[in-house]
Amino acid sequence: QHLGDTTKTTEWVLARDRVPALVIMRRCTSDEVKKFATNYLTSFGTRIISLDKFAEIGIKLIARMLVPLLPENNEQLMLRYFPEAEIANALTTRRTFQRTNAAALPKIFLDADQEWASKLDIDSPLPNEQAAISSDFNVRLINGIAGSGKTLIVINRAMILAERYPARKILVLIHNTPIVADLKARLISSRGAMPKNLEIETFFGWIYTQWWRAFKQAPNVLDGQGLTLKITALLATYPTFKLTAEQLQVEFDHIHQNLIFDQKTYLGISRVGRGFQVRVSDRTKIWQLFTEFNTKLLRDKQQIWSALPTTIWADEKIHSRLEKYHHVLIDEAQFFAPSWMEVVKRALMPGGNLFLCADPNQGFMKSRLSWKSIGLNVAGRTKKLRKSYRTTRPILEAANFLLKDLRTNDKEEYLEPQFEGMASGSRPMLVTLDSPQDAMARLSSEVASQHKNAGIPLNAMLIIYGPDFRGELLWRTLQKNPAIESVWWFNYHLQKKMPPKGYGNDTLRMAFLDTATGLEAPIVFLIGMDTLLFNMQSPLKTEDEISELREINNRKLYMAMTRSSQQLIVFTSSKLPVQNLAHFDRVA
């Protein structure tokens, strides 16, 4: 009856009650088969046939016997024979949002491509004595658009490996702290606990532990305001130099991340994708500042985060002290710097496996580097996933429109989505207010209304704020609303690794744009994105700088927009001409 067609319903009921069976007797002739093929078996849908007869009519026979399965039948088959392909509800927003978590909700599974990627080379042998004399390792790359299930693939593969091979060490590296915390919360919710041989960490959380093992002490990392003050003091000795402390820090990080150890290499390296231009004549001054800065750090026995992997990689005598793994799986690998990858490779056991998932469309932190340039040969070992399950077609079309200028570039820079068959839904909404304060107040009211009046759980909503907003002000505004019981601000140092009321409680999530990669929710609110949305740039920038920043900003917006699985609402207080928002509906 749910099909709305009596004939089809009857066929599906028959399919449930009597699944046809075909038995092929490969050692019997057709005459022999006739002697024991009875009407009794035929009445129960069992057809017996000899091998020679099957070769003659098999294709037509199979086509005639095939019948559709009820969804619950298909679910039972998957659970019986491929239980590892099931996706826990807590790990995905793929399902159309329901206000109930009743057991009657249909289960969901990885599709064929996702399951294939999860299990690819899963039964490869342990590193053996022959492999131990070689530094080689196996590498696989999954290139997928936003919402294609890359994180699910990484986690599913890691869980299969950990449970099937309890003696192997498995490491999953995620780009940022918020997604690690969110992922652990979901795994604990869905599975109760994680295998003991599985680690899930951010890269820098992991590198901190590796530093402990390598040098028998914690690194004294200069961070935040202390780092800014130290660079500002250094710049004060060069009053005519034009770079800001923030730009100089970005350049220092770039030098470390790309394993640049001498001035000649630095002067010759491309700066495409850096976001700001530096005259050739200024590069010599930057290298001088970099050298002075490192001398001061060495004197004070301090480090900066970007220098940790570089220092470990350069000191070969401590490589034997690193924790070694049979399998390393990396999500959002497009954000991993060359120095990060080099340390990861040295933490792999000889003959180990490196599994990468990446989205080239989100690569706003990757400086046009190819996998080959960082020592990874992925030729013939790459799988592309073009279908998005997370979001709706209108949202993906709006986000993909931002990348229209990339489509003629290198294939490593852009992956064309497959829109056919995607779920329909409403277009993204653009809400324009008179001021940033009005935008925050309206956002708070919308969240409260969705929660209290529409019955939407807080954890089904995600707020991503951009560079035009102070996170603390937004956080405090949301907390003042009595209808919003709990706010998990991923960028607040006391909440980076755990929600304020612990795991398992209903909590509204909130994250800064640059740290929102990997997060997802049925309903996503974007705020503080005016500079990115309207391409508002300083008149002092050159055309090349503006073009480069526009690409970086559009990639960031693409990432933020595709966090939503059903509804995307953008708040702005700018009334400027809209260039990239042709796919949005304006709301007063």
Side-chain angles (χ1 to χ4, degrees):
Q1 293 173 356
H2 65 278
L3 293 175
D5 185 311
T6 305
T7 304
K8 290 183 179 179
T9 303
T10 302
E11 291 176 356
W12 281 61
V13 170
L14 287 173
R16 179 188 62 194
D17 293 340
R18 189 193 66 186
V19 178
L22 178 63
V23 180
I24 302 171
M25 310 298 291
R26 55 189 302 270
R27 294 183 181 275
C28 296
T29 65
S30 294
D31 290 337
E32 290 172 332
V33 167
K34 289 179 182 178
K35 295 179 180 178
F36 52 79
T38 66
N39 290 332
Y40 179 79
L41 288 174
T42 303
S43 66
F44 282 94
T46 300
R47 178 73 180 267
I48 301 179
I49 188 173
S50 65
L51 182 60
D52 59 335
K53 193 67 174 177
F54 178 76
E56 178 185 343
I57 65 170
I59 294 177
K60 294 181 179 179
L61 183 60
I62 290 175
R64 194 162 63 242
M65 295 181 69
L66 286 176
V67 294
L69 290 174
L70 284 167
E72 54 263 36
N73 294 147
N74 186 66
E75 183 177 291
Q76 290 167 3
L77 286 172
M78 289 297 293
L79 289 173
R80 174 66 179 84
Y81 295 105
F82 308 102
E84 70 282 359
E86 182 184 359
I87 303 172
N89 294 344
L91 295 179
T92 183
T93 60
R94 178 186 296 186
R95 181 196 315 281
T96 300
F97 180 70
Q98 308 264 354
R99 294 180 191 171
T100 173
N101 288 320
L105 289 176
K107 295 182 181 297
I108 50 178
F109 301 87
L110 298 172
D111 73 9
D113 285 338
Q114 293 169 334
E115 188 177 359
W116 177 88
S118 296
K119 297 176 181 178
L120 185 64
D121 300 330
I122 205 79
D123 291 316
S124 58
L126 283 167
N128 52 35
E129 293 181 2
Q130 183 177 2
I133 64 174
S134 169
S135 61
D136 291 343
F137 56 90
N138 301 310
V139 61
R140 286 283 185 180
L141 171 65
I142 306 298
N143 262 346
I145 66 168
S148 58
K150 297 183 298 297
T151 302
L152 286 174
I153 288 169
V154 166
I155 295 303
N156 190 62
R157 183 179 181 88
M159 295 298 288
I160 292 174
L161 285 167
E163 292 169 356
R164 185 173 297 186
Y165 304 110
R168 298 190 189 183
K169 291 182 180 179
I170 298 130
L171 172 67
V172 174
L173 292 176
I174 309 287
H175 176 252
N176 57 35
T177 301
I179 186 59
V180 169
D182 192 46
L183 194 56
K184 285 184 177 179
R186 295 185 186 203
L187 279 172
I188 291 171
S189 173
S190 65
R191 305 185 75 112
M194 293 188 297
K196 294 181 179 180
N197 60 331
L198 172 63
E199 296 178 35
I200 302 178
E201 287 290 348
T202 63
F203 175 78
F204 280 107
W206 174 74
I207 206 69
Y208 189 93
T209 304
Q210 291 287 49
W211 185 281
W212 257 108
R213 293 182 61 89
F215 299 106
K216 309 302 181 184
Q217 61 181 1
N220 181 17
V221 180
L222 185 63
D223 200 0
Q225 187 177 7
L227 176 57
T228 301
L229 289 174
K230 198 151 193 166
I231 295 179
T232 302
L234 180 65
L235 279 172
T237 62
Y238 298 89
T240 61
F241 194 63
K242 300 302 183 184
L243 259 64
T244 66
E246 181 182 12
Q247 288 174 325
L248 198 58
Q249 180 183 335
V250 169
E251 202 67 10
F252 288 174
D253 288 342
H254 179 66
I255 292 170
H256 282 304
Q257 290 167 356
N258 286 275
L259 301 170
I260 302 170
F261 294 103
D262 58 73
Q263 180 175 315
K264 182 180 179 181
T265 303
Y266 175 64
L267 294 178
I269 197 169
S270 170
R271 294 193 73 264
V272 174
R274 303 304 305 132
F276 58 93
Q277 290 189 336
V278 174
R279 293 178 302 179
V280 175
S281 59
D282 285 335
R283 289 209 194 184
T284 302
K285 184 64 66 177
I286 291 173
W287 187 262
Q288 182 181 341
L289 287 165
F290 177 71
T291 303
E292 289 184 26
F293 184 68
N294 283 337
T295 300
K296 292 179 184 295
L297 288 179
L298 186 63
R299 179 198 65 198
D300 298 334
K301 298 181 179 180
Q302 293 176 323
Q303 296 277 350
I304 61 174
W305 282 111
S306 61
L308 298 187
T310 304
T311 304
I312 290 175
W313 176 82
D315 192 349
E316 294 187 7
K317 65 179 181 294
I318 58 94
H319 290 173
S320 60
R321 303 175 194 166
L322 300 178
E323 184 76 41
K324 300 296 176 66
Y325 301 86
H326 300 90
H327 301 272
V328 176
L329 302 90
I330 300 178
D331 193 23
E332 306 294 359
Q334 72 273 8
F335 297 142
F336 274 58
S339 62
W340 303 14
M341 285 294 187
E342 290 298 335
V343 177
V344 167
K345 288 191 285 186
R346 277 151 185 76
L348 269 170
M349 291 187 177
N353 292 280
L354 179 61
F355 187 84
L356 310 173
C357 281
D359 179 359
N361 296 354
Q362 290 186 39
F364 55 84
M365 293 180 67
K366 182 183 172 186
S367 303
R368 306 299 193 278
L369 293 171
S370 66
W371 299 112
K372 185 177 181 180
S373 71
I374 56 177
L376 298 176
N377 182 14
V378 297
R381 304 182 68 78
T382 301
K383 174 73 174 177
K384 294 182 179 180
L385 303 176
R386 301 179 184 272
K387 185 174 181 180
S388 176
Y389 288 98
R390 177 194 301 138
T391 194
T392 62
R393 180 166 183 166
I395 292 175
L396 184 60
E397 285 179 335
N400 194 63
F401 181 77
L402 298 171
L403 306 181
K404 59 184 182 299
D405 295 333
L406 303 178
R407 298 174 190 178
T408 58
N409 291 353
D410 192 319
K411 292 181 179 179
E412 285 197 9
E413 296 290 329
Y414 176 73
L415 188 62
E416 181 72 48
Q418 176 186 326
F419 291 107
E420 291 76 19
M422 286 190 65
S424 60
S426 58
R427 283 157 49 105
M429 290 184 285
L430 181 68
V431 184
T432 304
L433 287 305
D434 292 330
S435 68
Q437 291 74 20
D438 290 339
M440 279 194 295
R442 178 69 176 272
L443 170 58
S444 178
S445 296
E446 286 292 334
V447 171
S449 177
Q450 294 275 16
H451 182 47
K452 288 299 183 183
N453 300 332
I456 306 296
L458 291 173
N459 59 27
M461 293 180 275
L462 170 66
I463 296 172
I464 302 175
Y465 65 95
D468 302 331
F469 262 64
R470 285 178 51 215
E472 184 176 358
L473 183 59
L474 178 59
W475 183 54
R476 296 194 184 283
T477 299
L478 294 167
Q479 286 187 311
K480 290 178 181 177
N481 193 320
I484 304 174
E485 298 93 350
S486 178
V487 183
W488 185 3
W489 180 18
F490 287 118
N491 303 96
Y492 179 35
H493 70 281
L494 296 179
Q495 295 182 4
K496 278 190 173 183
K497 296 186 177 181
M498 185 176 292
K501 293 187 177 180
Y503 294 123
N505 295 296
D506 192 22
T507 303
L508 175 67
R509 293 170 295 152
M510 167 184 153
F512 179 57
L513 173 66
D514 287 356
T515 58
T517 301
L519 298 174
E520 58 181 36
I523 303 173
V524 171
F525 302 96
L526 305 184
I527 192 168
M529 309 281 182
D530 294 25
T531 300
L532 283 67
L533 285 166
F534 300 101
N535 291 315
M536 295 155 54
Q537 306 296 345
S538 167
L540 300 177
K541 292 187 180 298
T542 66
E543 284 296 321
D544 287 342
E545 287 179 316
I546 292 173
S547 177
E548 196 170 304
L549 275 174
R550 184 180 294 120
E551 179 185 329
I552 293 172
N553 290 343
N554 286 351
R555 286 185 186 272
K556 290 183 178 183
L557 285 170
Y558 167 90
M559 179 278 295
M561 292 168 65
T562 54
R563 301 306 94 200
S564 170
S565 69
Q566 290 183 50
Q567 191 172 13
L568 177 66
I569 306 171
V570 182
F571 295 90
T572 176
S573 57
S574 296
K575 298 179 177 63
L576 297 176
V578 178
Q579 297 176 355
N580 289 330
L581 305 177
H583 292 267
F584 281 68
D585 286 333
R586 291 175 176 271
V587 179

